[in-house]
Amino acid sequence: MVRWCLLIGMTILAANQHSEAGDEVTPHVVLGIHGGIGEDKKDMTPELEVKVRAALNAALKAGKLKLDEGGSSLDAIEAAIRVMEDDPVLNAGRGAVFTHEGRNELDASIMDGKTKKAGSVASVTVIKNPISAARAVMEKSKHVMLIGRGAEVFATRQGLEIVDPNYFWTKHQWDSISEIWKQEAAEEAKKKGNCDENSTSESPSLRKPHFGTVGAVAIDKNGNLAAGTSTGGMTNKMFGRVGDSPIIGAGTYAENETAAISCTGHGEFFIRFAVSHEIVSQIKYKKVTAKEAVEDVINGQLKGVNAEGAAIVLDKHGQFTTARNSEGLYRGWITSEGKTQVRLYDE
Ligand code: GLY
C-alpha cells in the first residue's frame, strides 16, 4: 500500500515538474511548423484565430506538396516558411514587427541535416522572403551568415524578390509599436515629473514585447532532416538587434543523426542557452528522447530563468513533438498520409 502511494506520488510529481504545455509525440510526421508563441489567449479574437489557422494550414499544404512531388526536406521547409512569411498575420516577412525606430528588420536561417550546411541572413529590410535568401547563402555562397546590406546585395544578385521596405508595413504591427511609443513617452514624462493633467495617474505598464517567429522542421523520403526559422524579431527592438532565429544552434538546428529543431521565444535567452544545439546534444550524449530533451530545455532550463518560448522537434524517426512554457504556440504538423493537426493553445 505504502509502495503504491509512493509510486502514485512520484508519478504526480514527475508529471507536475513541467508545465505540460507541450504536445504528445506523434509518429510518421513529415513536416511540423510553428507560427510563434502568438498572442496571449485573452487577446485572441475569433477573426484572428481563423486567420492564424488558415496561415498554418496553407503552410502545411505547401510544404507537403513539395514532399509529395519528390522534393527534399529543404524544399518543404522553404515552401512552408515562404507561405508564413507572405501572410501578414504572422511575425515574419510581411507581418514583421517594428523596431524602436519604426523599421522592419528581418532574420532567417535554414539548415540541412544531411550535410550540416547552413545559411542565414539577419537585419534585412528589403528581401521579400528571407528564408529563400538564407537558403541561397547556404547553397550559393561560401559563407553561413550574411547581414544587412551585404545580404541584400547578395539576394539581389541571386535574383530573389526585392521589395520596398513599405511592403512590410502592417496596421496591426504599427498600432502595436505606436502604443509602446506612447507608453514610453508617458513613462519618460512621469520620470521628469512632467505629467500633464490629461495623463492617467496610474503608470501604464509597458506592453509585453512580441516574440513571434515562424519555423519548420521536415524529413523527406531519403530520411534527410532540415529545419528553418524566420522572424521580424522582437517588437521595439533596438536597430541592429539580432535574435536567435538566424543563429545556427540557437533558433535552428538539424542533423540526420538526431533531430531537426526550430524555436520561438525571447531570442537573447535562446542564444545564451544555445537551445536547438542543446536539444540535439542531449539526445546524442545523454541518450534521452527528443521529448525529454526539449522539455528539459524549454520547461526546465529556460523556465528556470523566466525566459519565455517554445521549440518544435522532429526526430530522425519522424516523431514530432513540441514543448512550450508560453500560454500559446501556433503550430501544426502533417503525417506522411496527410493527417493534419493545427493547434494554438491547449487543445
Ligand atoms: N525568437 C525571435 C527573436 O527573439 O528574435
Side-chain angles (χ1 to χ4, degrees), residues 152-169:
E152 292 169 352
V153 168
F154 174 76
T156 308
R157 287 186 184 146
Q158 291 301 319
L160 298 181
E161 194 169 350
I162 301 299
V163 291
D164 186 277
N166 280 334
Y167 167 82
F168 300 105
W169 191 97

Side-chain angles (χ1 to χ4, degrees), residues 34 91 97 105 107 210-214 229-235 237 241-246 251 263-271 308:
H34 70 81
N91 175 20
V97 297
E105 295 181 356
D107 307 328
H210 198 295
F211 301 122
T213 300
V214 308
T229 311
S230 180
T231 190
M234 178 198 284
T235 324
K237 66 185 178 182
R241 177 265 186 190
V242 175
D244 61 308
S245 304
C263 302
T264 172
H266 195 154
E268 280 69 8
F269 289 93
F270 279 71
I271 296 171
E308 192 177 12

